[in-house]
Amino acid sequence: MERPYVFMQRALVTFKVAGLHSPLAGPAQEEFWLQLWVERYGALEASLFTGCVKKLAGERYFPRLHDMNEAVQDAQKRLLLARRRTQEHRADCHEPDLFDLVNSKRRVRELIEHLEKKFTLAAGQ
């Protein structure tokens, strides 16, 4: 995460907006909580952390560290599984790449030449 402290502050605001009452009493405890989360979760991808925060914001209680750890582990497992499935799909696919730029340009040229021949012959008759 590029600016983890900002993401952690946004997470705290998200929990408050969701109506989860913070057990943190005062700015000193909030600062301690923010620093602790930056140390624990600052190395995560921003999208992964944000997804976990959104998931936990739907809960009934303010998330504990244990809750966040579980959410992060679940999100990492899902991300790893999705990446593995994508790699397996690419490995199983023996067809030529549909977005191959060189072959696409060649095919477009062939189609243009074919249409030019077809319509020049039709116009000549």
Side-chain angles (χ1 to χ4, degrees):
M1 208 176 311
E2 202 167 296
R3 297 172 299 158
Y5 196 78
V6 172
F7 280 94
M8 303 307 160
Q9 287 176 325
R10 288 181 185 165
L12 183 60
V13 170
T14 302
F15 294 141
K16 287 180 181 179
V17 169
L20 304 178
H21 298 289
S22 172
L24 309 171
Q29 282 192 350
E30 281 187 15
E31 287 297 321
F32 175 76
W33 180 84
L34 289 172
Q35 186 60 35
L36 181 65
W37 276 39
V38 166
E39 291 172 7
R40 281 189 178 211
Y41 309 114
L44 294 176
E45 295 177 19
S47 60
L48 185 114
F49 181 77
T50 305
C52 293
V53 168
K54 287 180 182 178
K55 177 184 175 203
L56 292 174
E59 299 291 324
R60 292 181 64 176
Y61 302 104
F62 194 85
R64 301 167 296 170
L65 291 175
H66 173 74
D67 299 329
M68 189 61 171
N69 288 340
E70 283 184 3
V72 167
Q73 287 177 351
D74 289 343
Q76 286 176 333
K77 285 179 185 176
R78 279 187 270 117
L79 183 65
L80 183 63
L81 182 62
R83 287 180 181 166
R84 187 178 306 141
R85 285 181 179 165
T86 303
Q87 288 175 349
E88 288 173 358
H89 177 70
R90 287 181 183 161
D92 292 342
C93 184
H94 299 292
E95 301 172 2
D97 189 10
L98 298 176
F99 301 105
D100 185 12
L101 187 60
V102 175
N103 284 334
S104 295
K105 285 182 179 181
R106 180 187 52 79
R107 182 69 181 139
V108 167
R109 249 189 333 259
E110 289 175 357
L111 289 171
I112 291 172
E113 290 172 3
H114 172 73
L115 291 173
E116 284 176 344
K117 288 179 186 176
K118 181 178 177 180
F119 287 113
T120 54
L121 290 177
Q125 291 180 351

